[in-house]
């Protein structure tokens, strides 16, 4: 029996909800719902939607602490966003760099044949930009 499965969304804890929302809107064309706010817990979130149906929930709560992002660790490594061409990967990588964000790895063809670069969002989360 084959079960159809679709990942509904991924979620990321962030330090500055509005900063991260604008980052994904500016560089990846995300659209956002209205901010959700739970006044009892201080939890706030946005759902960011992308062309093609993918969604990211960005979440913030006062008691969430920063991870050590300087080392690799078990768990999620990155999200990958496909742009459709090598030229778009190179162009967006340069735009992000010129706007002061960190390029973690330069555009290149990997050993398994992917053309990609990796950037960091304002909280240091890795985003693989690929064809």
């Amino acid at each position: 029996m084959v079960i159809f499965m679709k990942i509904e969304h991924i979620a990321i804890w962030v330090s500055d909800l509005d900063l991260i929302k604008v980052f994904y809107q500016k560089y990846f064309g995300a659209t956002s719902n209205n901010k959700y706010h739970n006044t009892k817990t201080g939890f706030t979130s946005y759902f960011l939607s992308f062309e093609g149906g993918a969604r990211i929930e960005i979440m913030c709560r006062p008691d969430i602490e920063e991870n050590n992002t300087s080392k690799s660790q078990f768990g999620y490594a990155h999200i990958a966003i496909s742009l459709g061409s090598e030229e778009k990967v190179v162009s967006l990588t340069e735009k992000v760099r010129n706007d002061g964000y960190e390029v973690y790895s330069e555009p290149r063809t990997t050993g398994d044949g992917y053309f990609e670069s990796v950037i960091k969002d304002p909280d240091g989360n890795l985003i693989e930009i690929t064809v």
Side-chain angles (χ1 to χ4, degrees):
M1 177 179 170
V2 176
I3 298 174
F4 173 78
M5 184 189 84
K6 173 185 169 188
I7 294 175
E8 206 292 323
H9 71 273
I10 62 167
I12 305 170
W13 288 113
V14 301
S15 63
D16 184 328
L17 199 62
D18 291 307
L19 176 67
I20 299 295
K21 178 182 81 162
V22 169
F23 178 87
Y24 282 93
Q25 288 173 321
K26 179 176 181 177
Y27 297 109
F28 299 104
T31 59
S32 177
N33 70 336
N34 292 327
K35 182 187 284 185
Y36 169 75
H37 183 211
N38 181 318
T39 56
K40 289 184 179 182
T41 64
F43 174 85
T44 54
S45 71
Y46 287 110
F47 273 96
L48 305 178
S49 299
F50 301 85
E51 188 176 318
R55 296 190 328 148
I56 298 174
E57 181 181 14
I58 54 173
M59 309 176 305
C60 189
R61 198 175 68 204
D63 61 332
I64 300 297
E65 296 180 10
E66 181 177 5
N67 282 335
N68 177 359
T69 57
S70 63
K71 293 183 177 183
S72 294
Q73 57 191 11
F74 290 116
Y76 292 103
H78 64 265
I79 62 170
I81 298 176
S82 173
L83 300 182
S85 74
E86 291 184 10
E87 295 78 20
K88 289 180 181 177
V89 171
V90 172
S91 176
L92 184 58
T93 302
E94 287 309 308
K95 180 174 176 53
V96 167
R97 180 194 329 273
N98 291 338
D99 286 350
Y101 294 102
E102 182 177 347
V103 175
Y104 185 76
S105 65
E106 297 295 330
R108 70 203 180 287
T109 301
T110 63
D112 55 356
Y114 283 92
F115 187 82
E116 66 184 39
S117 70
V118 179
I119 63 169
K120 289 187 175 184
D121 75 10
D123 275 348
N125 298 301
L126 298 178
I127 305 167
E128 179 182 294
I129 305 170
T130 187
V131 174

